[in-house]
Amino acid sequence: MTVLGLGAMGGALAGALVDAGYATTVWNRSPGKADGLVARGAHGAATAEEAVRSGGPVVVCLLDHASVHEVLDPLAGDLAGRPVVNVTTTSPAQSRELAAWAAAHGVAYLDGGVMAVPAMIGHPGASVLYSGSPAVFEEHRALLERWGDASWFGEDAGLASLYDLALLAGMYVMFAGFLHGAAMVAPAGVTAAEFARRAAPWLTAMTAGFAGFAEVVDGGDYTVPGQQSLEFSDLGDILAAGAEQGVADDAVAMVQRLIGRQIDAGHGKEGFARIFESIRNPA
């Protein structure tokens, strides 16, 4: 099999395959990235064309959508009839465009979103989301499971990317909230490490509320009993405390705007989950 792209993630994916005993050919645009993998048993190719012609599935892990086309377009003839697994981060629309390109050239295409950092690949906790060709997913599932838990979301090649980016959206907003909190307590002499020791178990416990929010959102009734109201959820005190500490309010003010939009529309007595409507319907 072939791995095109040996950045931090591509190198980790290729390394997991080499360590599992797969005959693996590797290529990277800039020289030197393959040396460690070759020392572990991979075959280093001088060109992408040479790598692809070694046979087997082709795994693509490059910088972006444009770089995928830059590398694969000249190789369309060599890729015809071959499975391509693209785990480059792309938007859903870009993933669908690549799937259409692949179909036009007789390439069996599977799109993937890696839910892990490179060090997690091949270890518990790593997962990769896939969509596109069901045949490629089933035929090569054992290989895909070498990287992490493999889940297939359907033939729409954009679904894995959509899930990937949606999950990352939640992660980054959570990270921003943690860093906002760390900035608030820093002027009081509290280190970020000390704050993290408090924040990690608290935020972990709060994720138990996801299921309840989801039930309310899916039910479409934000008046069901037991919810914290939007009016009670006003973040004015948090914003004021942050201002007193001299920190920027961007992370928290974003949530306050979503709350305020629903209160202004007359929904202040309804549950906090209603900010979903502010997000889904920005107009």
Side-chain angles (χ1 to χ4, degrees), residues 116-150:
V117 297
M120 294 171 62
I121 296 299
H123 301 287
S127 65
V128 186
L129 317 179
Y130 297 98
S131 57
S133 170
V136 174
F137 180 78
E138 290 301 332
E139 182 179 354
H140 300 287
R141 185 164 189 167
L143 179 155
L144 302 176
E145 292 281 0
R146 291 292 180 177
W147 297 330
D149 180 65

Side-chain angles (χ1 to χ4, degrees), residues 50-125:
E50 177 190 338
V52 166
R53 288 182 175 177
S54 67
V58 177
V59 177
V60 183
C61 188
L62 297 169
L63 176 63
D64 55 19
H65 177 257
S67 63
V68 174
H69 271 300
E70 184 179 345
V71 172
L72 296 191
D73 283 1
L75 305 176
D78 292 307
L79 291 170
R82 302 272 297 284
V84 168
V85 181
N86 178 37
V87 292
T88 305
T89 300
T90 55
S91 73
Q94 290 171 337
S95 297
R96 293 178 182 120
E97 187 278 330
L98 285 165
W101 175 90
H105 291 90
V107 178
Y109 183 83
L110 187 66
D111 199 85
V114 181
M115 304 306 301
V117 297
M120 294 171 62
I121 296 299
H123 301 287

Side-chain angles (χ1 to χ4, degrees), residues 82-252:
R82 302 272 297 284
V84 168
V85 181
N86 178 37
V87 292
T88 305
T89 300
T90 55
S91 73
Q94 290 171 337
S95 297
R96 293 178 182 120
E97 187 278 330
L98 285 165
W101 175 90
H105 291 90
V107 178
Y109 183 83
L110 187 66
D111 199 85
V114 181
M115 304 306 301
V117 297
M120 294 171 62
I121 296 299
H123 301 287
S127 65
V128 186
L129 317 179
Y130 297 98
S131 57
S133 170
V136 174
F137 180 78
E138 290 301 332
E139 182 179 354
H140 300 287
R141 185 164 189 167
L143 179 155
L144 302 176
E145 292 281 0
R146 291 292 180 177
W147 297 330
D149 180 65
S151 300
W152 184 71
F153 288 86
E155 295 189 41
D156 176 353
L159 283 176
S161 172
L162 181 61
Y163 266 92
D164 177 22
L165 297 176
L167 289 166
L168 288 174
M171 181 193 77
Y172 279 112
V173 173
M174 178 186 70
F175 284 172
F178 162 73
L179 293 168
H180 180 95
M184 285 181 67
V185 299
V190 180
T191 66
E194 182 179 350
F195 184 68
R197 286 192 290 271
R198 295 279 184 180
W202 162 248
L203 294 175
T204 299
M206 289 302 96
T207 61
F210 289 175
F213 286 141
E215 184 177 357
V216 170
V217 167
D218 289 342
D221 183 0
Y222 300 100
T223 67
V224 296
Q227 299 182 76
Q228 179 172 301
S229 73
L230 285 158
E231 291 176 342
F232 188 81
S233 301
D234 180 88
L235 307 183
D237 288 342
I238 299 175
L239 290 167
E244 291 169 5
Q245 296 297 89
V247 304
D249 67 3
D250 303 76
V252 176

